[in-house]
Amino acid sequence: MATQAPTPPIAPANVPDSLVRSVERYLYQEAELLDTWRLHEWLELFAPHGQYQVPATDKPDGDPTRDLFLIQDDRFLLEQRVNSLLTRAAHAEYPHSRTRHMITNVRVVGIVGERLSVTANFVVFRMRSGVIDTYVGQYRSVLLQEDEGTFRYETRKAVLDLDALRPHGKVSVIL
């Protein structure tokens, strides 16, 4: 029985438009889930070993094994975060803020086997108590392609372009 050679990487210029459109639809669906606070459904977008990361604003390219991150959740911690956000105990988000996730410049920057490296720019507006907080940055994600048009996050990293979390001081919503 012959072993199958690993699939060579696909360069961004050779990524089919249909794949990019599928990834865009996936990210738009995710934004809708977050904006409507359907967080348990959003959680299902992650592989069992999935990671959700938000690096510190002073180290956007930090290494999660060595550097401090604002958020560095594995699937277990992410489930705890979701459950907490959906209860009254999360005072910063009860009642829930209104959010609007805007996603642009979606690019599949590499493919190795079933793993897609994806970048997209984002702006998340959080409205609460007459105050609007704005978070701007870039998603740098690794998606696992399960079937045609079906993906799961292996890594979802939200890299903030802010140089500090002022005036809001925290990230209490999912970016």
Side-chain angles (χ1 to χ4, degrees), residues 37 39 80-87 90 93 96 172 174:
W37 283 84
L39 300 185
Q80 301 308 306
R81 181 179 302 278
V82 163
N83 290 333
S84 175
L85 283 171
L86 292 174
T87 67
E93 288 305 324
H96 300 315
S172 62
I174 295 174

Side-chain angles (χ1 to χ4, degrees), residues 68-100:
L68 180 66
F69 272 46
L70 298 173
I71 300 170
Q72 185 179 342
D73 290 351
D74 61 13
R75 179 64 187 257
F76 174 78
L77 290 174
L78 193 52
E79 285 182 42
Q80 301 308 306
R81 181 179 302 278
V82 163
N83 290 333
S84 175
L85 283 171
L86 292 174
T87 67
R88 289 178 176 247
H91 300 290
E93 288 305 324
Y94 190 84
H96 300 315
S97 298
R98 291 178 49 210
T99 61
R100 191 64 58 210

